[in-house]
């Protein structure tokens, strides 16, 4: 018998829950933009490619297997961007530790990938994606 999985607390107001879902939706948009820019540059890469590391399975947003490049586009809220992430004041007992864990896991994943010889790029969702694509392209062609 396993213990029941605690549920996330309900959003405390309609406004809050609308904000949260907007954040979630926006998360994937810069990834898509980066992928289509990389395609337009003539690059071919893997999406949803899992990499086994010493800290478990990591799934970067874009992977170049031969060049050993792992690219992440991190959402400002979920990954704690210093410019845009304010820790939610509501349910802070839930969100604080959760977001701290996200960040700790991000650091572990990067360290584990680098230990295996991967070059890791991490972009924030607020970053300029054309500039990010150029950076990645330069590394992929090296
Ligand atoms: Zn940001």
């Amino acid at each position: 018998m396993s213990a029941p999985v605690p549920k996330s607390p309900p959003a405390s107001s309609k406004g809050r829950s609308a904000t949260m879902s907007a954040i979630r939706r926006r998360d994937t948009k810069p990834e898509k933009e980066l992928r289509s820019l990389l395609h337009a540059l003539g690059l071919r890469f893997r999406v949803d490619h899992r990499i086994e590391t010493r800290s478990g399975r990591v799934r970067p947003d874009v992977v170049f297997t031969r060049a050993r490049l792992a690219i992440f586009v991190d959402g400002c809220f979920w990954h704690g961007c210093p410019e845009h992430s304010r820790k939610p004041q509501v349910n802070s007992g839930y969100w604080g530790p959760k977001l701290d864990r996200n960040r700790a896991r991000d650091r572990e994943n990067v360290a584990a990938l680098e230990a295996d010889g991967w070059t890791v790029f991490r972009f924030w969702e607020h970053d300029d994606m054309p500039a990010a694509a150029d950076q990645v392209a330069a590394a992929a062609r090296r």
Side-chain angles (χ1 to χ4, degrees):
M1 273 277 265
S2 58
V5 177
K7 291 201 173 73
S8 61
S12 59
S13 71
K14 265 198 180 141
R16 174 99 227 148
S17 105
T19 308
M20 300 301 284
S21 56
I23 287 165
R24 218 167 282 143
R25 263 200 310 277
R26 268 205 315 269
D27 256 10
T28 62
K29 204 180 150 240
E31 277 174 44
K32 286 186 190 149
E33 190 189 347
L34 180 64
R35 286 173 187 153
S36 58
L37 287 162
L38 292 172
H39 262 298
L41 289 168
L43 297 170
R44 294 298 172 258
F45 48 86
R46 308 284 295 267
V47 173
D48 271 341
H49 180 70
R50 288 176 186 185
I51 303 171
E52 291 288 345
T53 71
R54 67 179 186 206
S55 73
R57 263 187 213 142
V58 183
R59 208 171 61 184
D61 296 310
V62 174
V63 176
F64 290 83
T65 46
R66 217 168 310 157
R68 272 181 111 67
L69 299 180
I71 292 105
F72 296 88
V73 181
D74 292 335
C76 292
F77 175 77
W78 297 105
H79 299 268
C81 151
E83 283 172 56
H84 302 107
S85 90
R86 276 161 294 137
K87 278 189 186 169
Q89 299 306 301
V90 181
N91 292 321
S92 58
Y94 170 77
W95 286 110
K98 183 174 174 60
L99 297 180
D100 287 345
R101 273 198 305 278
N102 282 355
R103 254 179 301 193
R105 202 180 44 223
D106 288 342
R107 280 192 301 269
E108 271 169 38
N109 288 345
V110 169
L113 286 167
E114 287 177 345
D116 288 344
W118 288 86
T119 300
V120 180
F121 284 92
R122 289 183 69 196
F123 299 107
W124 292 111
E125 63 177 329
H126 70 247
D127 281 335
D128 181 58
M129 286 304 145
D134 286 345
Q135 236 183 298
V136 171
R141 290 177 174 140
R142 216 169 273 147

